[in-house]
Amino acid sequence: MKLMKTAALAAMLISGVALYAAPNESQREESEDHLISLDLEARLDWQLVKHQGKLDNSQSGFIGKYIALKAHGELTEGLTYTWRQRFSRTPKDNTFWDQTDILDVSYKHDKFDFGAGKQVVLIGGYEYDRAPINLMCPNLFVSNVACYQFGVSAGYELTPNDHLAFQISQSIFATPADRNLYSYNLMWRGGHDLTDMLRLETIWSINEVEFVNGKYCNYIALGNKLLIDDRFTVLVDLMTRTYPDNRAFKNNTFMGEFAWKINPKWKVTGKVSYDCNRGVNMTDKTEVARGSQLAIVGAVAEWYPISNRKHLLKAHAAVFGSYGSNYNTADLMQKDTMYASIGLTWHMNLFNFK
């Protein structure tokens, strides 16, 4: 049954619908006619972590958070590619592909576009949409989800402000022992001006994710962004995950954020998130450990001494605290955790070739 379902969906794509890989923040590039643009991204932090008032020396001190090479370009009109190789990511399968976040080829024609390769799994929400280098103490779902998977996807521009995409990808629960698991993802991205000063943007998705052979959990993820006078941004992410043998609204994630762009060089942000998993089926796989109910509250200040199309230099200072319980001991944020960070992020364009 699963094979027939997969084959039917694949045939539909091949027979007439173009494939599309909706980029997350880390994939978006400004339109350029370069055959190749090569960039280096890196982030270095000093951080302090305390659990229930006790200093965690293994998590405190200087830490290299991120380093990656990113290449993108246009092979011919409408045919583009993106490649990002993250060297700071620990391989889970001892393979080269574990550190390859994105390796995607996309083609756009009129209102249709398509892509195939290693992509971001199309799940809604603005916290999830951020590039890893820009994540500041993310919620438990984003911290644990395996968001980069092989897949194919299709998209159509409904209006100049609305885009609908469908994707078949390897499941986020696939393992080296069982790769034959799939996810079926439908995403809508929208952006509409409400008034001269207000703009609403959305990233909504419905996902059917196979967690064991023949069994699926359902995600509904609603990411909402309100832009106010180009200076203030309000983000609200709502997500619920339902398993076959559990009641709805037992496994949820919420994120709210308010950002104030003081001027082109300074921005301050306040943020709160909440994850819970009150499910009872012990056979389910999940990104939020069963029994966890954890809230994270914090603030970030960012300074941009250099910010242009080719180069970016950013300094940040952040502090976050957690309240509640988390049954995944591998996560940074546990019960009554205090996390403080000062860091430097830079994006450098190494060269462009036309």
Side-chain angles (χ1 to χ4, degrees), residues 32-282:
E32 295 179 350
D33 59 350
H34 294 138
L35 178 62
I36 181 171
S37 292
L38 185 65
D39 302 306
L40 175 68
E41 304 177 329
R43 176 176 157 192
L44 174 67
D45 285 13
W46 176 87
Q47 63 185 36
L48 180 71
V49 178
K50 289 185 176 181
H51 300 297
Q52 300 183 56
K54 184 178 179 180
L55 181 65
D56 184 345
N57 289 306
S58 67
Q59 297 282 357
S60 299
F62 288 104
I63 182 170
K65 283 281 189 178
Y66 187 98
I67 183 168
L69 279 175
K70 181 170 62 176
H72 58 96
E74 186 174 45
L75 300 174
T76 187
E77 185 176 358
L79 183 63
T80 61
Y81 67 91
T82 302
W83 167 60
R84 188 177 73 206
Q85 190 76 13
R86 191 180 353 160
F87 300 104
S88 53
R89 188 178 185 188
T90 302
K92 293 179 291 186
D93 191 18
N94 295 318
T95 70
F96 176 84
W97 290 105
D98 288 331
Q99 297 189 74
T100 304
D101 287 346
I102 300 163
L103 186 59
D104 177 70
V105 177
S106 301
Y107 180 72
K108 181 174 176 60
H109 176 70
D110 195 23
K111 294 185 178 182
F112 292 92
D113 41 50
F114 69 88
K118 195 168 188 186
Q119 308 173 337
V120 181
V121 179
L122 299 185
I123 299 174
Y126 281 92
E127 178 90 327
Y128 176 88
D129 191 56
R130 287 188 171 121
I133 196 170
N134 294 326
L135 286 172
M136 295 288 177
C137 201
N139 58 58
L140 298 185
F141 175 82
V142 171
S143 296
N144 291 287
V145 64
C147 61
Y148 303 108
Q149 301 290 343
F150 292 100
V152 294
S153 46
Y156 182 73
E157 186 181 280
L158 301 172
T159 74
N161 297 310
D162 298 281
H163 190 276
L164 190 65
F166 176 71
Q167 179 189 57
I168 300 175
S169 71
Q170 187 168 264
S171 172
I172 59 177
F173 297 119
T175 66
D178 189 0
R179 300 184 183 277
N180 193 33
L181 300 173
Y182 299 94
S183 179
Y184 305 92
N185 314 300
L186 183 66
M187 174 180 283
W188 167 58
R189 286 179 180 263
H192 297 272
D193 293 326
L194 305 179
T195 69
D196 291 340
M197 297 178 60
L198 290 177
R199 178 175 175 81
L200 177 64
E201 297 181 357
T202 54
I203 309 176
W204 291 8
S205 77
I206 298 174
N207 311 83
E208 290 292 327
V209 184
E210 193 173 22
F211 60 95
V212 296
N213 285 304
K215 288 191 176 183
Y216 294 83
C217 56
N218 171 258
Y219 293 176
I220 299 176
L222 308 175
N224 307 277
K225 177 192 288 188
L226 186 65
L227 302 169
I228 307 170
D229 193 29
D230 295 327
R231 292 190 301 156
F232 304 101
T233 302
V234 179
L235 300 180
V236 177
D237 287 346
L238 303 169
M239 183 181 193
T240 186
R241 301 169 289 273
T242 304
Y243 287 81
D245 300 323
N246 284 329
R247 289 185 295 168
F249 306 111
K250 291 290 186 179
N251 192 334
N252 310 303
T253 294
F254 164 82
M255 191 279 292
E257 182 178 292
F258 177 80
W260 175 26
K261 186 178 180 181
I262 301 172
N263 57 48
K265 294 190 178 295
W266 282 95
K267 183 173 78 170
V268 294
T269 303
K271 177 181 166 186
V272 58
S273 67
Y274 174 74
D275 294 90
C276 70
N277 181 357
R278 301 189 297 274
V280 296
N281 187 345
M282 299 304 291

